[in-house]
Amino acid sequence: IFLFFEFLVYGKKIHHSIIALSPFQPEVTRLYLARVGLMANAMAKGQLVIAAILGVLEALVLAVCFGSWDYFVLMSVAFTFFNLIPLGAGIVAYPLIVIGMVLGAFWPGIIALVLISIVSNLESFLRPKFIPKSITLTNGLTMLSAFAGIALFGLLGVVYGPIIMIIIVTSIQMYLEYYDTLPKVKAKPTKQ
């Protein structure tokens, strides 16, 4: 939190220091910092909006099917948080539905299972609307970065992990675009 505060207060000074200390050309460093900033910002905001939409819809399904309107806000907040991690709110929603089915609400539970499955799959339709395709990480990299972030930083690692992965991916892309000047190995023709 202190580091985040420092970047907010001294952001311009840090930005100029990074450009001055970078061994790369200043134009490339500025382009790199701008690209990383845009990617991290869009990924974090887009993921938060998608998680909130899915969390509210999943809480709405459970509230309608089981009549649990007293817990609607709590479920919305919890499901939004769980939708930030790659496995989503299914970690909590499916066990709740099964418990409801065992306690006597069998048919509402079946309806809730179908609707929660549909809502969970809405992410693939919402993602292109909120996160540009050039910014998105693959599912494997997203899972790896989220779980590694949680392991390293705790709950805030859900946000930090993907941002660090975006920095790594952007660094590799920038290298390939601007500094891949090594000669390529050419295959020699074989004598016949």
mmCIF file of all heavy atoms in Angstrom, residues 94-121:
data_model
loop_
_atom_site.group_PDB
_atom_site.id
_atom_site.type_symbol
_atom_site.label_atom_id
_atom_site.label_comp_id
_atom_site.label_asym_id
_atom_site.label_seq_id
_atom_site.Cartn_x
_atom_site.Cartn_y
_atom_site.Cartn_z
ATOM 1 N N TYR A 94 -21.796 -23.594 -6.557
ATOM 2 C CA TYR A 94 -22.221 -24.984 -6.764
ATOM 3 C C TYR A 94 -22.435 -25.746 -5.454
ATOM 4 O O TYR A 94 -23.445 -26.440 -5.306
ATOM 5 C CB TYR A 94 -21.249 -25.716 -7.694
ATOM 6 C CG TYR A 94 -21.358 -25.238 -9.127
ATOM 7 C CD1 TYR A 94 -20.279 -24.624 -9.755
ATOM 8 C CD2 TYR A 94 -22.534 -25.390 -9.847
ATOM 9 C CE1 TYR A 94 -20.381 -24.182 -11.063
ATOM 10 C CE2 TYR A 94 -22.642 -24.949 -11.157
ATOM 11 C CZ TYR A 94 -21.560 -24.347 -11.762
ATOM 12 O OH TYR A 94 -21.671 -23.905 -13.050
ATOM 13 N N PRO A 95 -21.532 -25.620 -4.480
ATOM 14 C CA PRO A 95 -21.826 -26.275 -3.193
ATOM 15 C C PRO A 95 -23.091 -25.734 -2.519
ATOM 16 O O PRO A 95 -23.854 -26.505 -1.912
ATOM 17 C CB PRO A 95 -20.589 -25.998 -2.341
ATOM 18 C CG PRO A 95 -19.501 -25.806 -3.330
ATOM 19 C CD PRO A 95 -20.142 -25.149 -4.504
ATOM 20 N N LEU A 96 -23.346 -24.423 -2.619
ATOM 21 C CA LEU A 96 -24.573 -23.866 -2.045
ATOM 22 C C LEU A 96 -25.813 -24.447 -2.720
ATOM 23 O O LEU A 96 -26.815 -24.751 -2.061
ATOM 24 C CB LEU A 96 -24.578 -22.338 -2.173
ATOM 25 C CG LEU A 96 -23.648 -21.566 -1.248
ATOM 26 C CD1 LEU A 96 -23.695 -20.077 -1.571
ATOM 27 C CD2 LEU A 96 -24.009 -21.809 0.205
ATOM 28 N N ILE A 97 -25.747 -24.618 -4.030
ATOM 29 C CA ILE A 97 -26.888 -25.183 -4.759
ATOM 30 C C ILE A 97 -27.114 -26.637 -4.346
ATOM 31 O O ILE A 97 -28.255 -27.058 -4.109
ATOM 32 C CB ILE A 97 -26.661 -25.060 -6.278
ATOM 33 C CG1 ILE A 97 -26.699 -23.592 -6.688
ATOM 34 C CG2 ILE A 97 -27.707 -25.854 -7.047
ATOM 35 C CD1 ILE A 97 -26.264 -23.330 -8.113
ATOM 36 N N VAL A 98 -26.032 -27.402 -4.235
ATOM 37 C CA VAL A 98 -26.165 -28.806 -3.829
ATOM 38 C C VAL A 98 -26.739 -28.902 -2.412
ATOM 39 O O VAL A 98 -27.614 -29.743 -2.138
ATOM 40 C CB VAL A 98 -24.808 -29.539 -3.942
ATOM 41 C CG1 VAL A 98 -24.861 -30.906 -3.302
ATOM 42 C CG2 VAL A 98 -24.382 -29.635 -5.399
ATOM 43 N N ILE A 99 -26.292 -28.040 -1.524
ATOM 44 C CA ILE A 99 -26.839 -28.029 -0.156
ATOM 45 C C ILE A 99 -28.330 -27.703 -0.189
ATOM 46 O O ILE A 99 -29.136 -28.334 0.500
ATOM 47 C CB ILE A 99 -26.058 -27.036 0.736
ATOM 48 C CG1 ILE A 99 -24.661 -27.569 1.016
ATOM 49 C CG2 ILE A 99 -26.810 -26.769 2.043
ATOM 50 C CD1 ILE A 99 -23.742 -26.569 1.676
ATOM 51 N N GLY A 100 -28.721 -26.726 -1.012
ATOM 52 C CA GLY A 100 -30.137 -26.386 -1.148
ATOM 53 C C GLY A 100 -30.951 -27.546 -1.690
ATOM 54 O O GLY A 100 -32.083 -27.787 -1.247
ATOM 55 N N MET A 101 -30.369 -28.296 -2.629
ATOM 56 C CA MET A 101 -31.070 -29.457 -3.194
ATOM 57 C C MET A 101 -31.243 -30.553 -2.144
ATOM 58 O O MET A 101 -32.303 -31.178 -2.064
ATOM 59 C CB MET A 101 -30.303 -29.984 -4.411
ATOM 60 C CG MET A 101 -30.367 -29.053 -5.613
ATOM 61 S SD MET A 101 -29.268 -29.527 -6.948
ATOM 62 C CE MET A 101 -30.043 -31.027 -7.525
ATOM 63 N N VAL A 102 -30.208 -30.771 -1.348
ATOM 64 C CA VAL A 102 -30.277 -31.798 -0.306
ATOM 65 C C VAL A 102 -31.297 -31.412 0.770
ATOM 66 O O VAL A 102 -31.984 -32.278 1.330
ATOM 67 C CB VAL A 102 -28.873 -32.031 0.317
ATOM 68 C CG1 VAL A 102 -28.945 -32.863 1.578
ATOM 69 C CG2 VAL A 102 -27.950 -32.662 -0.699
ATOM 70 N N LEU A 103 -31.418 -30.131 1.052
ATOM 71 C CA LEU A 103 -32.344 -29.666 2.088
ATOM 72 C C LEU A 103 -33.785 -29.565 1.599
ATOM 73 O O LEU A 103 -34.655 -29.081 2.335
ATOM 74 C CB LEU A 103 -31.886 -28.317 2.643
ATOM 75 C CG LEU A 103 -30.564 -28.351 3.424
ATOM 76 C CD1 LEU A 103 -30.169 -26.954 3.861
ATOM 77 C CD2 LEU A 103 -30.680 -29.284 4.621
ATOM 78 N N GLY A 104 -34.061 -29.991 0.363
ATOM 79 C CA GLY A 104 -35.448 -30.067 -0.069
ATOM 80 C C GLY A 104 -35.843 -29.228 -1.266
ATOM 81 O O GLY A 104 -36.938 -29.362 -1.778
ATOM 82 N N ALA A 105 -35.019 -28.344 -1.731
ATOM 83 C CA ALA A 105 -35.354 -27.510 -2.890
ATOM 84 C C ALA A 105 -34.698 -28.108 -4.137
ATOM 85 O O ALA A 105 -33.819 -27.511 -4.750
ATOM 86 C CB ALA A 105 -34.898 -26.082 -2.653
ATOM 87 N N PHE A 106 -35.166 -29.304 -4.511
ATOM 88 C CA PHE A 106 -34.516 -30.042 -5.606
ATOM 89 C C PHE A 106 -34.698 -29.345 -6.950
ATOM 90 O O PHE A 106 -33.718 -29.081 -7.646
ATOM 91 C CB PHE A 106 -35.061 -31.479 -5.672
ATOM 92 C CG PHE A 106 -34.380 -32.297 -6.726
ATOM 93 C CD1 PHE A 106 -33.105 -32.791 -6.510
ATOM 94 C CD2 PHE A 106 -35.011 -32.553 -7.943
ATOM 95 C CE1 PHE A 106 -32.467 -33.537 -7.488
ATOM 96 C CE2 PHE A 106 -34.380 -33.292 -8.924
ATOM 97 C CZ PHE A 106 -33.110 -33.791 -8.699
ATOM 98 N N TRP A 107 -35.948 -29.062 -7.348
ATOM 99 C CA TRP A 107 -36.170 -28.461 -8.666
ATOM 100 C C TRP A 107 -35.639 -27.034 -8.758
ATOM 101 O O TRP A 107 -35.045 -26.673 -9.783
ATOM 102 C CB TRP A 107 -37.650 -28.550 -9.058
ATOM 103 C CG TRP A 107 -38.023 -29.974 -9.349
ATOM 104 C CD1 TRP A 107 -38.851 -30.767 -8.608
ATOM 105 C CD2 TRP A 107 -37.537 -30.788 -10.415
ATOM 106 N NE1 TRP A 107 -38.911 -32.023 -9.148
ATOM 107 C CE2 TRP A 107 -38.111 -32.057 -10.276
ATOM 108 C CE3 TRP A 107 -36.669 -30.578 -11.475
ATOM 109 C CZ2 TRP A 107 -37.863 -33.100 -11.149
ATOM 110 C CZ3 TRP A 107 -36.424 -31.617 -12.355
ATOM 111 C CH2 TRP A 107 -37.013 -32.863 -12.188
ATOM 112 N N PRO A 108 -35.797 -26.206 -7.750
ATOM 113 C CA PRO A 108 -35.131 -24.901 -7.829
ATOM 114 C C PRO A 108 -33.600 -25.042 -7.927
ATOM 115 O O PRO A 108 -32.936 -24.241 -8.584
ATOM 116 C CB PRO A 108 -35.526 -24.203 -6.527
ATOM 117 C CG PRO A 108 -36.813 -24.827 -6.141
ATOM 118 C CD PRO A 108 -36.706 -26.256 -6.598
ATOM 119 N N GLY A 109 -33.059 -26.091 -7.304
ATOM 120 C CA GLY A 109 -31.625 -26.339 -7.399
ATOM 121 C C GLY A 109 -31.198 -26.710 -8.809
ATOM 122 O O GLY A 109 -30.151 -26.270 -9.285
ATOM 123 N N ILE A 110 -32.015 -27.533 -9.482
ATOM 124 C CA ILE A 110 -31.715 -27.898 -10.877
ATOM 125 C C ILE A 110 -31.745 -26.652 -11.756
ATOM 126 O O ILE A 110 -30.853 -26.437 -12.588
ATOM 127 C CB ILE A 110 -32.726 -28.953 -11.396
ATOM 128 C CG1 ILE A 110 -32.580 -30.259 -10.622
ATOM 129 C CG2 ILE A 110 -32.577 -29.177 -12.888
ATOM 130 C CD1 ILE A 110 -31.276 -30.983 -10.871
ATOM 131 N N ILE A 111 -32.756 -25.815 -11.569
ATOM 132 C CA ILE A 111 -32.859 -24.569 -12.345
ATOM 133 C C ILE A 111 -31.661 -23.671 -12.045
ATOM 134 O O ILE A 111 -31.061 -23.082 -12.949
ATOM 135 C CB ILE A 111 -34.189 -23.845 -12.033
ATOM 136 C CG1 ILE A 111 -35.361 -24.689 -12.547
ATOM 137 C CG2 ILE A 111 -34.218 -22.457 -12.641
ATOM 138 C CD1 ILE A 111 -36.723 -24.216 -12.072
ATOM 139 N N ALA A 112 -31.286 -23.584 -10.769
ATOM 140 C CA ALA A 112 -30.133 -22.757 -10.388
ATOM 141 C C ALA A 112 -28.841 -23.295 -11.003
ATOM 142 O O ALA A 112 -27.996 -22.519 -11.444
ATOM 143 C CB ALA A 112 -30.010 -22.685 -8.867
ATOM 144 N N LEU A 113 -28.670 -24.622 -11.040
ATOM 145 C CA LEU A 113 -27.473 -25.209 -11.667
ATOM 146 C C LEU A 113 -27.371 -24.812 -13.127
ATOM 147 O O LEU A 113 -26.297 -24.428 -13.611
ATOM 148 C CB LEU A 113 -27.505 -26.737 -11.545
ATOM 149 C CG LEU A 113 -27.046 -27.343 -10.236
ATOM 150 C CD1 LEU A 113 -27.269 -28.853 -10.232
ATOM 151 C CD2 LEU A 113 -25.596 -27.029 -9.983
ATOM 152 N N VAL A 114 -28.483 -24.909 -13.847
ATOM 153 C CA VAL A 114 -28.487 -24.553 -15.274
ATOM 154 C C VAL A 114 -28.183 -23.062 -15.452
ATOM 155 O O VAL A 114 -27.339 -22.674 -16.267
ATOM 156 C CB VAL A 114 -29.835 -24.939 -15.920
ATOM 157 C CG1 VAL A 114 -29.945 -24.379 -17.330
ATOM 158 C CG2 VAL A 114 -30.009 -26.443 -15.928
ATOM 159 N N LEU A 115 -28.860 -22.219 -14.670
ATOM 160 C CA LEU A 115 -28.675 -20.770 -14.824
ATOM 161 C C LEU A 115 -27.273 -20.321 -14.405
ATOM 162 O O LEU A 115 -26.670 -19.461 -15.063
ATOM 163 C CB LEU A 115 -29.743 -20.016 -14.027
ATOM 164 C CG LEU A 115 -31.175 -20.133 -14.567
ATOM 165 C CD1 LEU A 115 -32.156 -19.421 -13.643
ATOM 166 C CD2 LEU A 115 -31.269 -19.598 -15.983
ATOM 167 N N ILE A 116 -26.744 -20.883 -13.329
ATOM 168 C CA ILE A 116 -25.385 -20.522 -12.901
ATOM 169 C C ILE A 116 -24.372 -20.949 -13.954
ATOM 170 O O ILE A 116 -23.402 -20.233 -14.229
ATOM 171 C CB ILE A 116 -25.049 -21.154 -11.521
ATOM 172 C CG1 ILE A 116 -25.804 -20.458 -10.410
ATOM 173 C CG2 ILE A 116 -23.555 -21.132 -11.234
ATOM 174 C CD1 ILE A 116 -25.292 -19.088 -10.043
ATOM 175 N N SER A 117 -24.592 -22.098 -14.574
ATOM 176 C CA SER A 117 -23.682 -22.546 -15.641
ATOM 177 C C SER A 117 -23.732 -21.592 -16.821
ATOM 178 O O SER A 117 -22.693 -21.274 -17.417
ATOM 179 C CB SER A 117 -24.052 -23.957 -16.098
ATOM 180 O OG SER A 117 -23.904 -24.866 -15.037
ATOM 181 N N ILE A 118 -24.912 -21.107 -17.158
ATOM 182 C CA ILE A 118 -25.046 -20.148 -18.266
ATOM 183 C C ILE A 118 -24.365 -18.833 -17.904
ATOM 184 O O ILE A 118 -23.605 -18.270 -18.704
ATOM 185 C CB ILE A 118 -26.535 -19.930 -18.617
ATOM 186 C CG1 ILE A 118 -27.113 -21.205 -19.243
ATOM 187 C CG2 ILE A 118 -26.708 -18.749 -19.552
ATOM 188 C CD1 ILE A 118 -28.624 -21.184 -19.407
ATOM 189 N N VAL A 119 -24.629 -18.333 -16.701
ATOM 190 C CA VAL A 119 -24.032 -17.060 -16.266
ATOM 191 C C VAL A 119 -22.505 -17.166 -16.205
ATOM 192 O O VAL A 119 -21.790 -16.241 -16.603
ATOM 193 C CB VAL A 119 -24.615 -16.620 -14.908
ATOM 194 C CG1 VAL A 119 -23.827 -15.469 -14.309
ATOM 195 C CG2 VAL A 119 -26.077 -16.217 -15.062
ATOM 196 N N SER A 120 -21.996 -18.297 -15.748
ATOM 197 C CA SER A 120 -20.542 -18.469 -15.659
ATOM 198 C C SER A 120 -19.883 -18.419 -17.028
ATOM 199 O O SER A 120 -18.746 -17.968 -17.164
ATOM 200 C CB SER A 120 -20.209 -19.795 -14.991
ATOM 201 O OG SER A 120 -20.679 -19.805 -13.668
ATOM 202 N N ASN A 121 -20.593 -18.860 -18.042
ATOM 203 C CA ASN A 121 -20.042 -18.848 -19.394
ATOM 204 C C ASN A 121 -20.206 -17.505 -20.099
ATOM 205 O O ASN A 121 -19.727 -17.336 -21.221
ATOM 206 C CB ASN A 121 -20.676 -19.959 -20.238
ATOM 207 C CG ASN A 121 -20.173 -21.310 -19.809
ATOM 208 O OD1 ASN A 121 -19.000 -21.472 -19.504
ATOM 209 N ND2 ASN A 121 -21.066 -22.287 -19.761
#
